Amino acid sequence: MASIAIPKNHLEVTAQWLESALKAGSEKNLGSIASIELKQIGEGIGVMGELFRASISYSSGTGPSAVIVKLPSQADANRQQGIDLGMYEAEVKFYDSLAAQTTARLPICYYTASEAGTANFVILMEDLGHLSMVVQMDGMNAAQTSAAIRSLAALHASWWGKVETTELEWVPSVIHDRIVNFGAMWPMLWEMYQPKFGHVLPEGGVEFGNWLSVNYWEAVKEFATSPWTLLHLDYRVDNLMFDKDLNAPDAVAVIDWQSVGRGPAGYDLAYLLGGSVTVEDRRKYEDKWLHEYHDEITRLGVNYAFEDLYKDYVRAHVIGGTSTAVLTGATFDLGNERGVALIASMGERHFAAPIDHNGRQFFSV
């Protein structure tokens, strides 16, 4: 897409800038924007970026009545994490080059721009405010979870066996160099995490974390031997939006692709069920949900034995959500009480799942 000046913050998103950006992107026939009203949305949901709804008034012509403006976090520590992990550039590249090939309901992307090696980026997207969202701490109900699982299976099936190519080397894998570096940091992060959030961990959580802190990289390498697909890597309910009709083909819209990656499908499934439903509901419905995922991805043509799915799923619980909870809890500026509560719930839920399944039995370390 064509490039114009990237706003440093929401104060630089003016009516004139928005009109220029939309016309430089997909809205070539946009009318003349007279004024906009910006309102921040989703505060405390994401720690890496900020979202604003721009309600638009036109002096002539027509166009979207509102768009979503995505900008980087204004917290210095979070912005640096986004730079170090390549997350800002990755989301722009996803919308520019991968979205059209991805079987998932995505917001229409009107315009993207980023500056390599910096936190400077902006994405203008469709306003999906008519869809509903679920508070992650509350957790999805069973019907919402089933809809999210069907959406995830379609996403994975559309890229199954197609991501280990030269063209997609820019998409980080679960054994990317940054994961090696993260493994080296795990013991330090674990020491930083425990004083803040150790009290929320389930029985056996500290002992499990002690083991994982020194075995993380070896465990990841074993996990990575399973078949690969495209991963969202942050497939949790705060990044999902639900239609009223949960049985509709596109009942779930998937947002926030900053963490897009490559690796075994079990990662996204474990991350969803490990963090976006209560521990009690996961334990009650887990077997049903795993079979729903397996039935759907098999229906879509993927040859994936249920036994292999289960192994990948449990292994992913060991190395996935636990690590995200520790990283964010140890180092990120969580911004407000909701952010702190979110990370606390992640720690409680994501550590409970691998303990419930005795996840260490699936590794040789």
Side-chain angles (χ1 to χ4, degrees):
M1 293 183 181
S3 178
I4 61 174
I6 300 174
K8 294 182 177 63
N9 54 54
H10 72 283
L11 299 176
E12 296 187 5
V13 179
T14 63
Q16 181 180 2
W17 181 90
L18 186 60
E19 181 177 329
S20 297
L22 287 170
K23 288 181 175 178
S26 64
E27 303 303 289
K28 306 300 183 186
N29 299 316
L30 188 80
S32 297
I33 296 180
S35 63
I36 63 171
E37 180 181 354
L38 280 179
K39 180 179 181 181
Q40 188 169 8
I41 59 175
E43 290 183 81
I45 291 178
V47 295
M48 301 306 296
E50 295 182 347
L51 296 174
F52 298 86
R53 175 176 288 114
S55 300
I56 306 173
S57 298
Y58 295 89
S59 58
S60 64
T62 61
S65 59
V67 299
I68 300 301
V69 183
K70 185 166 188 177
L71 295 166
S73 169
Q74 293 302 299
D76 289 341
N78 300 5
R79 288 168 66 92
Q80 190 59 51
Q81 287 279 5
I83 296 170
D84 293 343
L85 299 177
M87 298 174 77
Y88 299 134
E89 292 178 64
E91 185 165 29
V92 168
K93 285 186 176 181
F94 170 81
Y95 280 111
D96 287 350
S97 62
L98 301 182
Q101 305 168 57
T102 302
T103 303
R105 182 177 179 178
L106 308 173
I108 297 169
C109 184
Y110 300 120
Y111 176 81
T112 66
S114 64
E115 183 180 329
T118 74
N120 298 330
F121 90 101
V122 62
I123 300 174
L124 302 181
M125 296 176 286
E126 175 188 11
D127 180 13
L128 296 175
H130 61 288
L131 302 180
S132 64
M133 297 191 74
V134 177
V135 176
Q136 182 159 337
M137 282 89 76
D138 296 340
M140 296 179 292
N141 62 35
Q144 291 164 336
T145 305
S146 293
I149 286 171
R150 290 193 299 271
S151 175
L152 182 61
L155 161 65
H156 288 163
S158 66
W159 285 99
W160 195 273
K162 302 175 183 177
V163 299
E164 294 182 76
T165 66
T166 302
E167 293 77 13
L168 292 181
E169 285 183 355
W170 67 266
V171 182
S173 77
V174 293
I175 50 172
H176 187 272
D177 286 346
R178 76 185 191 195
I179 305 300
V180 181
N181 296 334
F182 177 68
M185 294 172 58
W186 231 104
M188 177 188 70
L189 295 171
W190 180 235
E191 290 300 319
M192 296 168 63
Y193 175 85
Q194 290 182 76
K196 300 178 182 179
F197 294 103
H199 64 284
V200 307
L201 299 180
E203 184 178 355
V206 173
E207 293 78 10
F208 173 81
N210 290 339
W211 172 83
L212 187 57
S213 71
V214 295
N215 290 294
Y216 172 79
W217 174 237
E218 293 302 319
V220 167
K221 287 193 292 183
E222 292 188 27
F223 171 67
T225 59
S226 293
W228 285 17
T229 187
L230 192 74
L231 300 177
H232 185 278
L233 285 182
D234 198 16
Y235 198 82
R236 57 189 174 93
V237 71
D238 276 343
N239 292 326
L240 305 176
M241 304 182 75
F242 297 88
D243 197 290
K244 290 181 180 179
D245 181 5
L246 292 175
N247 292 315
D250 291 328
V252 179
V254 186
I255 61 174
D256 194 349
W257 290 85
Q258 289 181 336
S259 299
V260 62
R262 297 176 296 149
Y267 189 101
D268 282 343
L269 184 59
Y271 198 70
L272 176 72
L273 299 185
S276 293
V277 296
T278 64
V279 173
E280 293 74 22
D281 279 353
R282 176 183 55 76
R283 290 169 177 165
K284 182 177 180 180
Y285 297 111
E286 191 167 36
D287 185 67
K288 169 182 176 290
W289 287 331
L290 289 177
H291 278 91
E292 286 178 353
Y293 175 90
H294 183 257
D295 289 347
E296 183 67 9
I297 202 166
T298 301
R299 185 186 70 80
L300 294 170
V302 175
N303 183 15
Y304 193 20
F306 184 82
E307 294 76 14
D308 293 333
L309 165 63
Y310 178 73
K311 178 188 69 176
D312 294 342
Y313 171 77
V314 175
R315 281 180 165 181
H317 274 307
V318 171
I319 56 95
T322 52
S323 297
T324 302
V326 169
L327 173 64
T328 52
T331 64
F332 282 26
D333 179 350
L334 301 177
N336 54 38
E337 291 183 5
R338 189 192 186 285
V340 173
L342 172 61
I343 302 305
S345 73
M346 289 174 65
E348 175 192 6
R349 294 174 182 177
H350 281 301
F351 273 76
I355 292 172
D356 285 350
H357 289 280
N358 188 21
R360 289 175 58 178
Q361 69 178 308
F362 290 95
F363 297 93
S364 62
V365 291

